[in-house]
Amino acid sequence: MCLTCGCMDAHREMGQNNITYEDLKKAADENGRSVEETLGVWQKTADKDRQEHAQEYGAPVGRSA
């Protein structure tokens, strides 16, 4: 689940709301894309959304930037 927490273990289950490699692979398969393509779509979508909703991309509660 390092895709979200930073533990650098993409396959480790840690909590209910973190994203594992397996989650990403399932989404890629469902959309007929590779994992690499899906990561690209994810990044492009985040870039677009960040422009439209910049306030949502601030530092998480309890952490400083």
Side-chain angles (χ1 to χ4, degrees), residues 6-55:
C7 72
M8 304 307 290
D9 186 347
H11 303 275
R12 188 172 178 189
E13 293 281 340
M14 293 180 64
Q16 295 178 354
N17 297 307
N18 291 295
I19 300 168
T20 63
Y21 173 85
E22 288 75 16
D23 297 324
L24 181 62
K25 176 73 170 116
K26 287 176 193 175
D29 290 347
E30 184 174 309
N31 289 289
R33 291 190 165 90
S34 68
V35 168
E36 190 68 29
E37 289 171 314
T38 300
L39 287 170
V41 169
W42 190 338
Q43 185 62 56
K44 288 178 187 176
T45 302
D47 291 345
K48 178 181 180 291
D49 190 64
R50 189 176 291 111
Q51 290 178 1
E52 297 171 4
H53 304 278
Q55 72 283 1

